[in-house]
């Protein structure tokens, strides 16, 4: 596995790939790799001739009061995991290499980024779309792999690819979960044993929402109130939003029908957790 830290070396590596056949798969990450990332890498490994992973804690996607400084960093472990997973190239630029002091360009998707995560973290998605744009321009992949866990991010990146006419395929991979349903996330390592139990309530509430829909309930308020009962059962879990939306544009619904997504965000102590569930329900009213 080759490890590259500089943009210049990445350019020259990429030029050498031109003459070779077969797709280049790319998994962008912020490091602290876990089973969720590994599932993306394995998916890419099965399909692509070359698998590229980036490890870069992107300062642009953290708000001023967020956890950039204490975001987990474990480069040596990440490098080992990538090597073991058969990654061909690990790109890990230092921040000053990636964003030199006169960096001035921001890439922003407008409408899709307004609600939910975008409302709570107003500059988050423009940080994501800026870094992703730069990474796509550098790596020039054929396929890119994103987890469903950050569903709004997936939709925003999908919009970005569409709007900028990139000739690449975005593959959405299923959320990897712990045995109690908690979505695997780099931030889970901040949870104390007590908080870890509470964190499991978010996925439990989402499952309750999905089951309620499948049992025929169509009214969103009724479904939300069943989910909130689960989250409300614990005073240490603070709900930020629990939304039932159109899975394509994230507009909130009043009646469910077709494919919907339940988006949830909670705080357990000062740790933010997000999760979601896609549910297909028949359109007939119940
Ligand atoms: O999902 C993430 O880990 C990040 O938002 C991403 C896509 C690597 C951009 O920094």
């Amino acid at each position: 596995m080759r490890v590259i830290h500089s943009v210049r070396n990445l350019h020259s590596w990429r030029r050498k790939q031109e003459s070779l056949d077969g797709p280049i798969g790319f998994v962008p990450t912020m490091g602290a790799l876990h089973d969720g990332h590994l599932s993306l890498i394995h998916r890419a490994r099965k399909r692509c001739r070359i698998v590229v992973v980036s490890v870069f804690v992107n300062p642009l996607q953290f708000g001023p009061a967020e956890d950039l400084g204490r975001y987990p960093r474990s480069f040596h472990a990440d490098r080992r995991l990538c090597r073991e997973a058969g990654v061909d190239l690990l790109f890990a630029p230092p921040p000053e290499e990636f964003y030199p002091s006169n960096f001035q360009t921001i890439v922003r998707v407008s409408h899709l980024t307004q609600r939910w995560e975008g409302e709570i973290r107003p500059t988050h998605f423009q940080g994501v779309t800026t870094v992703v744009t730069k990474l796509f321009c550098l790596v020039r992949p054929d396929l890119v792999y994103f987890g469903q866990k950050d569903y709004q991010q997936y939709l925003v990146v999908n919009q970005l690819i569409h709007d900028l006419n990139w000739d690449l395929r975005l593959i959405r991979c299923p959320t990897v979960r712990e045995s109690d349903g908690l979505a695997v996330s780099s931030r889970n390592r901040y949870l104390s044993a007590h908080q870890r139990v509470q964190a499991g309530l978010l996925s439990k509430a989402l499952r309750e929402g999905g089951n309620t829909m499948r049992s025929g309930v169509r009214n969103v308020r009724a479904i939300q109130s069943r989910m909130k009962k689960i989250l409300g059962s614990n005073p240490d879990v603070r709900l930020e939003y629990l939304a039932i939306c159109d899975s394509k544009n994230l507009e909130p619904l009043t009646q469910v029908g077709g494919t919907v997504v339940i988006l949830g965000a909670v705080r357990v102590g000062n740790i933010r957790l997000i999760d979601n569930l896609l549910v297909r329900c028949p359109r007939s009213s119940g």
Side-chain angles (χ1 to χ4, degrees), residues 27-31 37 54 56-58 61-62 71 99 124 127-129 131-132 135 145-147 150 153 157 186:
V27 181
T29 82
M30 297 211 298
H37 298 114
S54 62
F56 179 63
V57 181
N58 173 33
Q61 69 189 77
F62 291 78
Y71 193 83
Y99 296 123
H124 171 67
V128 171
T129 44
V131 76
V132 159
L135 289 167
Y145 295 81
F146 278 71
D150 297 291
Q153 168 173 279
V157 171
S186 304

Side-chain angles (χ1 to χ4, degrees), residues 53-92:
V53 172
S54 62
V55 166
F56 179 63
V57 181
N58 173 33
L60 285 192
Q61 69 189 77
F62 291 78
E66 292 182 14
D67 57 349
L68 172 62
R70 65 184 192 109
Y71 193 83
R73 288 161 171 88
S74 52
F75 183 69
H76 295 295
D78 293 345
R79 189 174 51 190
R80 181 177 48 77
L81 287 169
C82 284
R83 190 174 288 128
E84 286 168 7
V87 170
D88 298 290
L89 173 68
L90 173 58
F91 177 51

